[in-house]
Amino acid sequence: MKKLLASTVMLATFALTGCTTTGGMNNGTGTAIGTANEIGMNVFKAAIDNQCRSEIEKQNAWRIASVAMTEAQQEAVQSKVCGCVSEQAPQQVTIVELGNAAIDSQYRTQLVARVVAKSLQSCYTSFVQ
């Protein structure tokens, strides 16, 4: 219950921060809550991308395949695969999970690892075929 309360407080704080960063005005680009959610999601996607690249490097299939690629080709494949994983991430988490991740670094690490594990193989397979 405390985590739920803390998550709610954190989301409210993000919402208020969104008001101050947008001048408190709704100029048609979104509400304060939408702005805070977008900021949180961008941070989450960056964490997903970092974890994805780390996980790709650990895979034996990647190590073998990357030998035949230039550094630019490796980066291109990683960008495509991890971009796919990052784009799938929002469909795999709830706002409550994002709130919990914002206040609990251990939970954030677990959430990012779970999302990457769910999406990495399907994205990698779709780009390698």
Side-chain angles (χ1 to χ4, degrees), residues 52-73:
C52 175
R53 289 172 186 273
S54 175
E55 289 300 316
I56 285 176
E57 294 290 332
K58 293 177 188 176
Q59 292 186 358
N60 286 334
W62 173 256
R63 290 180 186 160
I64 293 167
S66 65
V67 171
M69 292 187 237
T70 66
E71 201 168 301
Q73 290 170 326

Side-chain angles (χ1 to χ4, degrees), residues 15-33:
L16 293 175
T17 303
C19 285
T20 60
T21 59
T22 60
M25 295 173 29
N26 186 358
N27 59 7
T29 60
T31 64
I33 293 173

Side-chain angles (χ1 to χ4, degrees), residues 7 17 19 25-26 38-39 45 55 89 93 111 115 124-125:
S7 295
T17 303
C19 285
M25 295 173 29
N26 186 358
E38 186 176 327
I39 291 168
K45 283 182 175 182
E55 289 300 316
V93 296
L111 181 63
V115 170
Y124 183 72
T125 302

